[in-house]
Amino acid sequence: MKLIFIGTGSGVTSLKRFHSSLLFSEKDFKLLVDAGDGISKALLSQKISFKTINAIIISHLHPDHFSGLASLIVQMKISGRKEGLTIFAHRSLVKVIENLLLHYYIFIDRLGFKIKLEGFEHDEKTGLSNDFSFTSKQNTHLDHYKAFDKKGSLSFSCSSFLFEYKNQSIFYTGDVGSIDDLFIFSDK
């Protein structure tokens, strides 16, 4: 397993660093973690083919983690991708992502490849390949926004992840709300 840092920047756009994103790469499986603004250019800058990414996981819907997804899917189509793509997000975000893609005029029947949106639950392990899995936990990054949701209709899911490959574990969190979020997998 190879871990490639696609972006190491914050939510502030920079000429020198792309927004936070990782690529887990093993022989037959590549997982992109987060797809913020400029992700297509960030992948190109590291000579990573859009066709080789098997799955994308989204931590939350802030633009620096999500807003490049539609553009990346269009670039996959333009590059002639044929293999399917799985997009993982917390189950409360799946319909939101489906609707956003539709409003970007991304019609799965016209892409030339299938997209599968798969919802995960916090605290449940999700298998990605034979030796590779992830578990998510809700962190507090979006908690302060809840007071603005007068109708109670929004999801405030923001995931931190524990990725496990064979006997190795990697903790990833795009953002945190408090220092305690850095320790939510301390039992592991």
Side-chain angles (χ1 to χ4, degrees):
M1 176 71 69
K2 200 166 145 182
L3 178 61
I4 302 167
F5 291 87
I6 304 301
T8 58
S10 69
V12 177
T13 300
S14 167
L15 290 173
K16 297 180 181 180
R17 293 168 63 186
F18 293 105
H19 297 298
S20 178
S21 185
L22 303 172
L23 183 74
F24 288 93
S25 178
E26 64 174 328
K27 184 181 175 196
D28 297 322
F29 190 83
K30 289 183 178 50
L31 172 72
L32 180 66
V33 181
D34 282 337
D37 181 38
I39 190 64
S40 299
K41 189 173 182 179
L43 290 165
L44 284 175
S45 75
Q46 296 205 31
K47 298 178 178 36
I48 296 168
S49 170
F50 304 135
K51 295 179 186 180
T52 64
I53 297 168
N54 303 92
I56 300 170
I57 189 168
I58 302 295
S59 63
H60 64 293
L61 298 186
H62 265 152
D64 57 319
H65 295 269
F66 174 73
S67 69
L69 180 65
S71 177
L72 178 56
I73 291 170
V74 170
Q75 294 306 309
M76 289 175 170
K77 176 186 174 29
I78 291 170
S79 70
R81 181 187 182 98
K82 299 292 180 209
E83 298 296 319
L85 175 69
T86 302
I87 300 171
F88 293 95
H90 185 264
R91 67 169 178 78
S92 66
L93 301 176
V94 169
K95 285 289 182 199
V96 176
I97 293 171
E98 282 177 355
N99 286 331
L100 284 169
L101 292 178
L102 188 61
H103 284 87
Y104 280 120
Y105 309 110
I106 296 176
F107 303 106
I108 294 173
D109 295 342
R110 293 192 65 232
L111 286 176
F113 61 95
K114 296 288 183 199
I115 292 180
K116 178 181 177 188
L117 273 161
E118 191 165 318
F120 58 78
E121 292 288 341
H122 292 304
D123 300 309
E124 290 183 7
K125 186 180 273 194
T126 301
L128 298 167
S129 69
N130 288 339
D131 298 318
F132 190 32
S133 64
F134 72 88
T135 304
S136 74
K137 287 189 182 266
Q138 173 75 28
N139 68 41
T140 63
H141 175 59
L142 299 177
D143 286 0
H144 62 283
Y145 291 110
K146 291 178 181 177
F148 297 99
D149 183 21
K150 303 298 184 206
K151 295 181 181 178
S153 60
L154 298 176
S155 168
F156 293 95
S157 179
C158 185
S159 300
S160 295
F161 299 102
L162 184 67
F163 294 98
E164 296 177 277
Y165 179 73
K166 296 185 179 180
N167 62 348
Q168 299 173 337
S169 297
I170 295 174
F171 170 66
Y172 171 83
T173 189
D175 290 309
V176 295
S178 76
I179 194 77
D180 294 336
D181 289 337
L182 297 174
F183 302 98
I184 61 177
F185 283 103
S186 62
D187 60 323
K188 304 272 184 178

